[in-house]
Structures are given as C-alpha cells and as structure tokens.
Amino acid sequence: MKRISLKYLIFMAVCCDLGIIAKKLIAPAANLITDNLHIPGGIGTSFSLLFLVTAAFIVKRFGAGMLMGLVQSGIAFLLGNVGSMGALAPLGYLIPGLVIDLCVLLPERTGMSEDVRIVICCALASVASSLTANVIVFGLVGPVLALYCCTACISGIVCGFIAALLCKRLRPVFANDRQNVKKEGPET
Amino acid sequence: MKKKTLLIILAVLVVLAAVLAVVVSNGQPKKRASEVIITAEGTNVTYDLKTLDLTDVKASVTRANGKTLKIDAKGMELKDILKGFAKYDKVKVTAGDSYSAELTYEEINKDADVYVILGDGGKPRLIILSDTDARRDVKDVLTIELIR
C-alpha cells in the first residue's frame, strides 16, 4: 500500500466521523421506512458509506476503504454504538470497506465514467454491508432477504449519486493543492 | 454504462422492492398492536397482552457498553405466558420488522429475567434483564414460535 499523506488521512478521518453522524441522523427516518417494509434496516448504512466512498475515490489508494472501515468500527466501539452485531461489529465495517477498495481498483477501460463507478461502488458496498449484517445477526431468508437487499441497493444507488456529486465538488480542492505542492517543490 | 442506465436500474429496483414489499406484507400475520401470536406445533394462538394479568416491571439494566436501560412498564414473564403450552426446547421471538432472537427453555424459566412488556405504542417488547447487550431486545414482537 502506497503511503497516504497526512492531509488525505485527516480527510479520511473526517469522512469516517461524518459517516457515523449521518447514520445517526438518518436513523429515525430510515427506521420509519424499514418498519413499514417489515425489514430490520438497509437504508441508514448507505448514508454512512457514501462518505467512505467519497474519500476512497478522492484518495484512490487500495486499503483506504478498509482503513476507514476499521476506524469507523473503532469509533463505534468507543461510543458503545455496535448495535446488534456486538463483538463482530468490525466485520460489518471492514467488508464494505474491502468492497469499496475493490471498486476503486475497477479499471477505467471498462468504459464506465467515474460517476458511474462511484454509484456502483456505493450500491455494492451497501449490499455487502447488509449481507454481512444478515449473516451475523438477522438470518433473514426468502422474500424478506430479497427486499432487504433490494432496499439496500436502492439506497446505495441514491447515496452513490450524492457521493459522485461530492467527489466532483471536492476533487478541484485536492487537485489545486497538488498543483501548489508541485509549484512550491523546487523552491524548497 | 451510462447514468441513464443506472437510473433505469434504480427504477427497476424500486418496482421490484414494491412487489417484494407487498409479498412480505401479505405473508405477515395480521394482529392488533398489543397482540402476540404464539405458534406451537403448527397452530397459532393470539394473545392480547392488555387482557392478561400484567404486573409492573421496574428494572434498570446496564449493558456492556455502559448504557443504562430504565424499564418502567406493564408486562409479564414469558414463562407465564407460555405456561399452558406443551414442552419446548427453545423459542424464536420475531418482530414485525423480521428481526428475531432465540431463547432456550432454561433461559426462559429463570426467575424474573425474561419479560414481555408493553413498549412504545402499546406494542409487545421482549426484555431479557440478564443480557449484557441489546441483541435479544426485540421491539414490536409479532410471533413467539415454540420449537421442539
């Protein structure tokens, strides 16, 4: 894994925090929807993952997703926020992180624009997170599991579009900074 | 793949979710808010918690994460609810959102530990006082399945 600069690490840490806060904020509204669908979740996590996907596509280093997942699980443990997963909660953060890392590696020659890759990444990470929770805690089967995954995928796609927008807005900030470092480089 | 394709996939998923939601909703047993359905050997018995001989359940449960859950509600021990039923080895308690938890016969028959209380909105809620995490805290209990 290539070294990640301190600036990117700080950005990733902020995204981890934002992810946890977003999940907390969206939880009441998400629960309202999932209760009516008779499924135990699948929406809130996508809002958490959208920040991880944004950071991963800005940083573009393999391992960034898993690193953020690890940090998020650490924060969740410290806040006593592990939910029903208990001691297995880190898995629920690491697996989506791994999926994000694999999606970042998707080659550009696949013909997909980066926006599309971000949306697919967010959707896949969201479904991976839901399936992990299902294996560890819920044990859903049949139509309920299908609905649970379908809901996770829908919210993942919606959050993916938001992540793509965020990436578009944030990329110039980091690109400008890179140019400045290059300009300042020879003088120092 | 273009954004338009993604939007089409999103629309298809929404339709699929709507169909699945109808299928899941139709598959759920119908009951009033305060009722629980007990399933034993293929037969369903519906109990309205409000009509049972409920007692005051007051407890303070400290979880492993340091959070304290204060309980002050009307409820009944699960072993008392299941008294008239044939012998069972374990019980699967399922909520309206398909979340479920399992308890063994021994756990249920511990004194003053496993309760079904009237929770938010008068919906039945499974509370296990000796549990150190909220994993088996089932809100809006829909069915209690007795398994041999």
Side-chain angles (χ1 to χ4, degrees):
Chain A
M1 186 176 152
K2 287 178 192 170
R3 285 187 68 177
I4 303 173
S5 72
L6 179 64
K7 183 184 68 191
Y8 281 129
L9 286 173
I10 292 170
F11 175 63
M12 284 158 64
V14 170
C15 283
C16 288
D17 294 340
L18 285 174
I20 286 178
I21 294 165
K23 195 175 177 177
K24 274 268 172 201
L25 284 176
I26 207 77
N31 288 345
L32 205 70
I33 299 168
T34 54
D35 282 353
N36 283 302
L37 291 174
H38 304 291
I39 50 172
I43 294 179
T45 309
S46 307
F47 283 84
S48 171
L49 288 171
L50 90 85
F51 290 100
L52 300 200
V53 171
T54 304
F57 271 83
I58 293 282
V59 174
K60 284 205 169 167
R61 295 273 196 283
F62 184 79
M66 278 194 287
L67 182 63
M68 286 186 285
L70 202 67
V71 171
Q72 273 202 336
S73 69
I75 295 170
F77 258 115
L78 289 174
L79 295 175
N81 231 345
V82 290
S84 313
M85 288 202 199
L88 293 172
L91 272 181
Y93 290 93
L94 274 176
I95 291 174
L98 176 66
V99 172
I100 291 171
D101 282 337
L102 292 174
C103 288
V104 170
L105 287 181
L106 268 178
E108 287 177 18
R109 65 169 180 271
T110 51
M112 290 185 276
S113 67
E114 189 166 80
D115 286 359
V116 172
R117 281 188 291 143
I118 290 171
V119 175
I120 290 172
C121 176
C122 208
L124 289 179
S126 188
V127 173
S129 173
S130 299
L131 287 174
T132 309
N134 188 53
V135 170
I136 297 173
V137 190
F138 304 132
L140 305 175
V141 286
V144 184
L145 177 61
L147 178 59
Y148 180 50
C149 290
C150 206
T151 309
C153 196
I154 291 168
S155 65
I157 290 175
V158 172
C159 290
F161 280 116
I162 302 171
L165 201 70
L166 273 175
C167 273
K168 206 172 264 177
R169 293 280 174 94
L170 285 169
R171 186 150 295 117
V173 177
F174 287 95
N176 288 343
D177 204 70
R178 268 186 196 146
Q179 282 169 1
N180 290 340
V181 169
K182 275 181 189 169
K183 279 177 193 170
E184 285 168 11
E187 292 169 19
T188 50
Chain B
M1 195 187 283
K2 289 177 179 173
K3 268 187 186 175
K4 201 177 171 183
T5 318
L6 279 175
L7 287 171
I8 293 168
I9 293 171
L10 182 64
V12 170
L13 281 171
V14 170
V15 173
L16 182 64
V19 172
L20 286 168
V22 172
V23 171
V24 171
S25 184
N26 286 339
Q28 293 244 332
K30 301 283 175 275
K31 69 167 193 83
R32 276 183 285 175
S34 59
E35 288 179 341
V36 284
I37 299 163
I38 299 175
T39 310
E41 293 170 344
T43 54
N44 290 349
V45 183
T46 305
Y47 280 98
D48 191 340
L49 269 194
K50 282 180 180 167
T51 63
L52 297 178
D53 190 17
L54 302 181
T55 54
D56 286 325
V57 182
K58 287 184 183 177
S60 186
V61 185
T62 304
R63 306 288 195 203
N65 61 12
K67 285 181 182 168
T68 304
L69 173 71
K70 286 209 163 107
I71 301 156
D72 184 3
K74 292 270 182 197
M76 195 172 188
E77 281 195 65
L78 182 58
K79 65 176 178 183
D80 293 333
I81 298 175
L82 302 179
K83 227 169 209 168
F85 290 90
K87 179 104 170 65
Y88 53 90
D89 295 322
K90 58 182 182 176
V91 155
K92 186 180 179 187
V93 181
T94 308
D97 63 1
S98 306
Y99 183 79
S100 64
E102 286 193 353
L103 295 102
T104 62
Y105 177 83
E106 289 74 27
E107 284 175 319
I108 292 168
N109 283 282
K110 260 197 258 173
D111 273 336
D113 190 33
V114 182
Y115 287 92
V116 178
I117 60 168
L118 281 172
D120 294 337
K123 291 176 181 172
R125 178 180 177 182
L126 177 77
I127 291 280
I128 304 165
L129 302 183
S130 61
D131 269 7
T132 52
D133 58 42
R135 202 170 175 160
R136 297 193 293 179
D137 183 343
V138 183
K139 292 168 186 166
D140 186 18
V141 174
L142 181 70
T143 59
I144 298 173
E145 187 186 350
L146 308 188
I147 303 164
R148 274 196 67 86

